[in-house]
Amino acid sequence: MYELYLAPSTAGFAPHALLREIGADFSLRFLDVEAAEHKRPEYLRLNPLGKIPVLLVDGRPVAETGAILMLLAERHPDAALAPAVNTAARQDYLQWMLFLANTLHAGLIPYFYPARYTADPEGADGVKRGAERLAGQWFAHVEEAFSDGRPYLLGETLSAADFYLFMLARWGRHFEAKLSSQPRLGEFMQRMFTRPSIRDAFAAEGTTENFF
Ligand SMILES: N[C@@H](CCC(=O)N[C@@H](CS)C(=O)NCC(=O)O)C(=O)O
């Protein structure tokens, strides 16, 4: 049994949608971010860094979005959301998952919390613009990967990486330079959006805002 701590449209979205895609037995625990519920001692006991999301696996907490996604894919091999160990596809999967976690996700954080990344009281806007510029380059790298017409990040087969990418690319809807202008990424987003798991996750999170 899984219990996912999340807040709407945060990094909890990808694990949330993946749980639905797998058809796992889970419950959702929505945190009140305005009330800083994720900084309270009860939550810090689950994740001392106070970051969302956390997944309880039979009561044991796991944090870090990429780790949660990989763990879920691994625990549910029948859902075939991660290539088998020692295959060429696994190599690509690991590379994309780490790129999404280490580069794209980590690089988007300064966009959303720019003041944390500067000691200059006037510097937040510059940090935000710089983060958007870098993210634009990384999304261009993703667009390039899709240039061979592949439907999913790994090729013909859907994987956990697609849920991660979908979530991160959706955050780009705030950018001045819209990601929807990247045609292949746009097609990917539409393709993912048709999945019941994604639509149901949006509905459960109460998200009505444009998804991309
Ligand atoms: N490295 C973490 C980052 C998670 C993260 O930054 N989550 C955001 C919500 S999207 C959060 O908890 N923000 C609250 C804060 O940083 O105070 C992960 O991959 O899960």
Side-chain angles (χ1 to χ4, degrees):
M1 172 64 181
Y2 300 111
E3 206 171 343
L4 180 67
Y5 285 76
L6 75 170
S9 291
T10 63
F13 182 82
H16 178 188
L18 200 73
L19 283 162
R20 292 180 183 277
E21 183 73 29
I22 286 167
D25 186 11
F26 70 94
S27 60
L28 299 175
R29 293 285 298 269
F30 283 101
L31 294 155
D32 185 345
V33 172
E34 292 293 307
E37 211 179 343
H38 55 308
K39 305 296 179 190
R40 290 193 191 149
E42 309 88 76
Y43 189 73
L44 295 179
R45 270 197 289 278
L46 304 178
N47 181 359
L49 295 176
K51 303 290 181 191
I52 302 166
V54 162
L55 181 72
L56 295 190
V57 182
D58 298 328
R60 191 170 190 273
V62 54
E64 296 300 324
T65 307
I68 295 171
L69 294 173
M70 292 174 85
L71 181 72
L72 285 172
E74 186 172 301
R75 285 172 58 93
H76 298 272
D78 290 353
L81 289 163
V85 173
N86 288 334
T87 60
R90 181 77 172 192
Q91 192 172 319
D92 296 345
Y93 170 70
L94 292 175
Q95 183 172 312
W96 278 118
M97 286 304 283
L98 272 289
F99 166 78
L100 293 168
N102 283 351
T103 302
L104 200 40
H105 191 172
L108 284 168
I109 302 293
Y111 178 84
F112 290 103
Y113 303 97
R116 292 181 186 173
Y117 290 82
T118 174
D120 175 0
E122 308 291 318
D125 196 54
V127 170
K128 199 173 175 83
R129 299 280 73 83
E132 178 175 336
R133 186 164 47 82
L134 275 174
Q137 291 171 15
W138 296 324
F139 280 114
H141 171 61
V142 173
E143 177 74 10
E144 177 65 29
F146 281 116
S147 66
D148 59 5
R150 64 181 64 188
Y152 302 110
L153 212 36
L154 299 188
E156 294 300 320
T157 310
L158 178 77
S159 77
D162 296 305
F163 288 81
Y164 206 171
L165 174 60
F166 178 85
M167 179 185 82
L168 297 174
R170 181 173 173 258
W171 293 351
R173 71 192 183 284
H174 299 290
F175 289 176
E176 281 177 3
K178 296 295 177 210
L179 289 179
S180 47
S181 65
Q182 309 224 19
R184 307 261 181 191
L185 184 59
E187 283 165 20
F188 165 80
M189 295 299 281
Q190 291 289 351
R191 190 173 300 118
M192 290 299 286
F193 187 61
T194 61
R195 301 195 78 78
S197 60
I198 297 268
R199 287 176 172 267
D200 292 349
F202 275 133
E205 294 192 12
T207 302
T208 51
E209 224 182 317
N210 195 357
F211 80 95
F212 186 50

